[in-house]
Amino acid sequence: MKKKNKYIVLLFIAIISLLTVVLVQINMDTKSKETEKVENTADKEKEQGGKEETDINVITGTDKKIEELLENMTLEEKIGQLMMVGFKGTEKSSEITELIEQKHIGGVIYFDRNMKSPKQVAKLSNSLQQSADRSSHSLPLMVAVDQEGGDIIRMRERVSPIPSQQELGENASVEDMYRVAKLNGTELNSMGININFAPVLDLSKTDNRSLGKDPEKVYQYGTKAIQGLNDASVTGALKHFPGNGRSEIDPHVETSSVEANQLDLENSDIYPFKKIISEMDNQKFFVMVTHIKYPAYDKEKPASLSKVIIEDLLRGKLGFEGLVVTDDLEMGAVNKYFSYKDMGKEAILAGADLLLVCHEYSHELEVYNGLLEAVKAGEVPMERINESTKRVLTYKLYNMKQTKVDPGQAAKVVKSPESLEYINSLNLEK
């Protein structure tokens, strides 16, 4: 009996020991899982933190590169970046090559004279970008066009028939405005064009380039136009600040004045610009300034050469932080009253960042050399040049990631059956 009791005690002890081992193991497994969970969470947080850190590093790195470029660039290189020029021919000429590679010109603008087919335009864009890459600092080239729609369409027979802004404003929805702008931008982007000088925000009942007379509607449709272009990797431009819809004189030919007080202008003509500037990322669009005069702000100078309008109104009152581009400096509204040598100087002093000279090589050289001389003579502060150069560099380094395009793809994308079908479905002629 004593022996049996002894076995029972030993069995009980064995069972207790076994249970103890099992409980210890369970406890260890639980702790192990908790530890693993904590480690996994830490790893995820580290990964997420790393991603954020990478994004911050990218931004910081880009900003650092901009500052380094600004410090290392010569005056000639900086002035070149502040110009956008036109040229003749469907292939890269010796003149445009010299302007890009030797004068460091920041951008070009295409007209019908440069465009024969989508494939040819894409090849031309690639060729010009190669020249830009060979120039000092290898800064990408801004390639622009006026592709508003309606009467203002380059290479009309080979691209989709983009409706006029008047047609869209009168008969299309804001969503249609977006889709047309994106279609337009997709075609331009496939040809290596990264800037479209559109939409027009001028208020007018009769001008087919205008979205209409209602400031609120023009703002809403203009917003959709910018968004559509942006979503096709194209930068738009609001024009013609501060709004020249009241003028019946073509600034290509002659100057004119808009006789309205500041309150009236800011509640109507300027309203679409003001709203878009306040609500959208200012790096996603340019503002083009007209050559028309606005005596309510500046009795002497046209808007494009007026510090009151560009610096005080556009930058100060409206808070615009992006690139300001002049309308073509070869227009009669300014070239009849200012020399090319002086125009570049006056526009930069007024606050413009990008000087648009669209046609003659000799005029482009005069603007370039005139500004260069003005800086060397102390007439234009170096700080003013650096300010605009930094804006150009910021735009290029943050927005221009891919510049080479596929000419074969351009031929397929531009005026595709799907694009034609969509535009025809709008049925805008009512």
Side-chain angles (χ1 to χ4, degrees):
M1 187 68 184
K2 287 183 179 180
K3 192 174 183 180
K4 186 177 181 181
N5 288 340
K6 183 180 178 181
Y7 284 131
I8 291 172
V9 171
L10 290 173
L11 180 61
F12 180 74
I13 293 172
I15 292 170
I16 293 297
S17 299
L18 181 61
L19 286 172
T20 303
V21 170
V22 170
L23 288 172
V24 169
Q25 185 62 45
I26 290 171
N27 189 44
M28 289 177 65
D29 289 344
T30 302
K31 287 184 176 180
S32 177
K33 287 179 180 178
E34 288 177 352
T35 303
E36 185 179 351
K37 185 177 179 181
V38 170
E39 288 175 350
N40 287 340
T41 303
D43 287 341
K44 285 181 180 178
E45 289 175 351
K46 188 176 181 181
E47 287 174 10
Q48 291 171 356
K51 185 178 185 302
E52 291 174 3
E53 188 177 327
T54 300
D55 292 342
I56 292 169
N57 284 340
V58 168
I59 294 169
T60 305
T62 304
D63 288 343
K64 186 178 179 182
K65 185 176 181 181
I66 290 167
E67 294 298 335
E68 288 176 351
L69 279 169
L70 205 57
E71 187 176 337
N72 294 325
M73 289 171 74
T74 65
L75 174 61
E76 289 78 5
E77 289 166 349
K78 291 176 181 177
I79 288 175
Q81 287 298 305
L82 306 186
M83 291 186 65
M84 176 176 281
V85 302
F87 62 100
K88 297 178 177 68
T90 56
E91 295 182 355
K92 186 168 61 179
S93 65
S94 59
E95 290 179 347
I96 192 61
T97 300
E98 184 263 334
L99 285 170
I100 295 170
E101 295 185 11
Q102 303 302 319
K103 296 292 190 289
H104 321 287
I105 296 300
V108 297
I109 180 169
Y110 289 160
F111 291 88
D112 281 326
R113 66 194 180 204
N114 307 118
M115 308 172 74
K116 284 191 174 180
S117 74
K119 191 172 184 178
Q120 169 266 320
V121 175
K123 287 182 177 178
L124 176 60
S125 297
N126 286 343
S127 179
L128 294 171
Q129 291 290 1
Q130 286 174 357
S131 285
D133 192 52
R134 281 196 290 269
S135 66
S136 55
H137 307 299
S138 300
L139 292 167
L141 195 68
M142 293 180 282
V143 181
V145 72
D146 292 298
Q147 199 77 333
E148 299 171 14
D151 292 340
I152 312 299
I153 296 182
R154 310 306 184 203
M155 199 170 63
R156 177 178 298 276
E157 300 303 318
R158 303 299 300 274
V159 299
S160 292
I162 305 299
S164 71
Q165 292 200 170
Q166 185 182 59
E167 290 176 304
L168 291 167
E170 289 178 354
N171 302 311
S173 67
V174 289
E175 188 56 35
D176 285 329
M177 186 75 195
Y178 168 83
R179 290 185 65 183
V180 169
K182 187 175 181 182
L183 184 158
N184 189 13
T186 300
E187 294 196 353
L188 297 177
N189 180 259
S190 74
M191 295 184 285
I193 297 168
N194 43 53
I195 296 164
N196 185 20
F197 288 131
V200 174
L201 299 188
D202 302 331
L203 305 183
S204 175
K205 286 183 178 178
T206 57
D207 188 354
N208 66 12
R209 299 173 72 191
S210 172
L211 288 162
K213 189 73 174 175
D214 179 5
E216 180 67 25
K217 187 173 186 178
V218 171
Y219 142 65
Q220 291 176 1
Y221 278 58
T223 298
K224 289 297 184 181
I226 294 294
Q227 289 174 346
L229 290 170
N230 286 170
D231 287 349
S233 299
V234 172
T235 299
L238 310 181
K239 64 184 188 183
H240 306 81
F241 187 81
N244 63 12
R246 296 174 189 250
S247 176
E248 296 182 0
I249 297 174
D250 185 353
H252 288 84
V253 180
E254 186 54 89
T255 189
S256 62
S257 294
V258 170
E259 303 297 335
N261 63 47
Q262 291 187 16
L263 184 62
D264 187 12
L265 287 167
E266 289 176 28
N267 287 333
S268 56
D269 303 62
I270 294 172
Y271 177 85
F273 294 93
K274 179 181 178 180
K275 289 285 284 183
I276 293 175
I277 288 168
S278 68
E279 293 178 4
M280 298 188 73
D281 181 353
N282 289 187
Q283 297 303 317
K284 299 297 185 181
F285 60 89
F286 297 173
V287 172
M288 178 181 282
V289 185
T290 183
H291 295 316
I292 291 174
K293 292 180 180 179
Y294 296 79
Y297 292 100
D298 191 327
K299 291 181 172 60
E300 301 296 327
K301 293 181 178 180
S304 56
L305 307 181
S306 169
K307 187 173 183 179
V308 177
I309 289 176
I310 298 177
E311 284 290 353
D312 297 347
L313 176 59
L314 179 56
R315 293 220 185 273
K317 195 165 187 177
L318 273 60
F320 182 61
E321 297 177 349
L323 277 169
V324 175
V325 56
T326 68
D327 209 340
D328 182 13
L329 294 179
E330 290 181 283
M331 289 183 179
V334 284
N335 73 5
K336 288 183 178 181
Y337 306 95
F338 299 88
S339 68
Y340 289 109
K341 179 181 177 181
D342 289 336
M343 271 194 282
K345 175 183 75 173
E346 293 295 331
I348 292 294
L349 284 173
D353 302 304
L354 199 57
L355 309 173
L356 190 58
V357 193
C358 292
H359 299 286
E360 299 300 327
Y361 173 72
S362 60
H363 297 160
E364 292 157 1
L365 287 181
E366 285 182 65
V367 172
Y368 175 89
N369 289 325
L371 183 54
L372 182 62
E373 290 173 18
V375 177
K376 289 181 176 179
E379 297 171 9
V380 176
M382 197 63 210
E383 292 78 10
R384 179 74 271 282
I385 297 297
N386 286 337
E387 182 184 6
S388 285
T389 304
K390 185 174 182 178
R391 287 198 189 101
V392 171
L393 295 176
T394 299
Y395 170 76
K396 288 189 173 187
L397 268 62
Y398 275 104
N399 294 281
M400 300 181 65
K401 307 297 183 185
Q402 177 64 39
T403 56
K404 187 177 181 180
V405 292
D406 179 356
Q409 186 66 14
K412 296 176 183 177
V413 169
V414 179
K415 204 175 184 180
S416 70
E418 294 79 11
S419 296
L420 294 175
E421 182 181 357
Y422 169 68
I423 291 174
N424 289 333
S425 74
L426 292 173
N427 192 25
L428 297 176
E429 295 179 6
K430 297 179 181 179

